[in-house]
Amino acid sequence: MRDDLTIDGPVRPSVYSPVEHLVLSAGDNVKAAAAAAIAQHAVLWQDFTRVMGMRSAIDGSGAQPGSGDPVGWIEDRIMATNAVAPSAGTRPSLSASGGLQFNGVDQALNLPFVGGAGPSSADIFAVVQTDDDPYIVLDILTESSPPNRFIFCSQDGNAANPRGNIGAATVHIDNGPAIASRDALHDARPASTFLLEARGADLSSFDGFLIGHAHISGFEYAGRIDHIIVGNLAASGYDRDALRAAIGVLMS
């Protein structure tokens, strides 16, 4: 497994950093510069706003989807693998505003990790828009012992941690302070698109991600997901702030 490249709404002021100002200086090439920065610092990038990397069929064949069409296959922009819906009947749809829309019932994507494991110290970013409750944005692909290895869990009134058994990771919204509970994550979410971040997560036992769904019944995700991005803290030259800043540019 390589450390450096692969693993075999408006931008809010809190997301800005000096690195972002360098990216913004690219003028007409702002988005391209941001994408290049993400490619430099991330080890996984599921870009659900990039239609050219999608197909409607789960085997990756056929035409690119149009607005409202089901999406069954998405190539990863960095990792040598693809996200695939479990079946034709469980495909999310392409949102008219960009990103993928999940119905909170049975729609999901399976994203296996190359080599069967993720980094032992990772930053995980998810750009989402939802008013769902409760929900889990990301879960481990294949549930095993210990259970409950989910990421980004929101539930009104629940004081439990907003992340599962992924080490001592902290969860944040829009680069804000650490969020201590599922209830706090529910209460802090903006009405517009927002950035979820888990810092220092242990993904070494993960064989991949289950996206937009959950192994815990009732926590299926309803809403839009634009990006899922992972950075490896052990990778040479990794810069969390630079990665977050580049994601913020894409959100603008």
Side-chain angles (χ1 to χ4, degrees):
M1 183 184 304
R2 293 183 60 184
D3 283 345
D4 56 340
L5 290 177
T6 66
I7 46 174
D8 282 340
V11 181
R12 293 164 181 83
S14 60
V15 179
Y16 280 70
S17 78
V19 178
E20 181 164 348
H21 291 289
L22 293 176
V23 174
L24 289 170
S25 69
D28 292 339
N29 295 318
V30 165
K31 300 291 186 182
I38 293 173
Q40 177 184 353
H41 294 286
V43 295
L44 177 155
W45 182 8
Q46 279 290 296
D47 184 353
F48 298 152
T49 69
R50 182 174 174 261
V51 179
M52 66 180 296
M54 302 177 179
R55 295 294 183 271
S56 290
I58 62 175
D59 64 359
S61 65
Q64 297 173 9
S67 177
D69 289 342
V71 178
W73 181 96
I74 304 99
E75 68 175 355
D76 196 88
R77 296 191 65 168
I78 298 175
M79 188 172 63
T81 188
N82 309 301
V84 180
S87 69
T90 59
R91 293 172 292 174
S93 60
L94 184 63
S95 172
S97 57
L100 293 183
Q101 189 73 28
F102 293 79
N103 66 2
V105 179
D106 55 2
Q107 293 175 350
L109 291 171
N110 295 334
L111 179 66
F113 290 166
V114 176
S120 59
S121 186
D123 291 333
I124 306 163
F125 300 87
V127 179
V128 304
Q129 183 174 19
T130 183
D131 59 3
D132 192 21
D133 183 70
Y135 67 79
I136 289 173
V137 177
L138 294 172
D139 209 335
I140 190 171
L141 180 57
T142 305
E143 181 73 294
S144 58
S145 182
N148 300 329
R149 281 174 284 176
F150 53 79
I151 306 160
F152 307 133
C153 178
S154 172
Q155 187 177 23
D156 189 22
N158 192 324
N161 203 297
R163 50 92 180 143
N165 294 316
I166 56 170
T170 56
V171 173
H172 308 257
I173 287 182
D174 291 330
N175 198 24
I179 294 174
S181 69
R182 301 177 191 180
D183 179 64
L185 183 60
H186 169 272
D187 293 346
R189 72 181 180 208
S192 57
T193 304
F194 57 96
L195 178 64
L196 286 168
E197 179 180 355
R199 300 176 185 169
D202 183 359
L203 300 181
S204 60
S205 65
F206 276 57
D207 58 343
F209 284 147
L210 175 61
I211 303 173
H213 205 63
H215 295 294
I216 304 174
S217 179
F219 284 79
E220 297 81 5
Y221 176 81
R224 200 184 77 222
I225 303 176
D226 292 350
H227 300 276
I228 301 292
I229 296 170
V230 175
N232 184 357
L233 275 74
S236 176
Y238 175 69
D239 187 327
R240 174 186 289 159
D241 292 335
L243 181 53
R244 184 190 306 109
I247 296 169
V249 172
L250 296 188
M251 291 172 65
S252 61

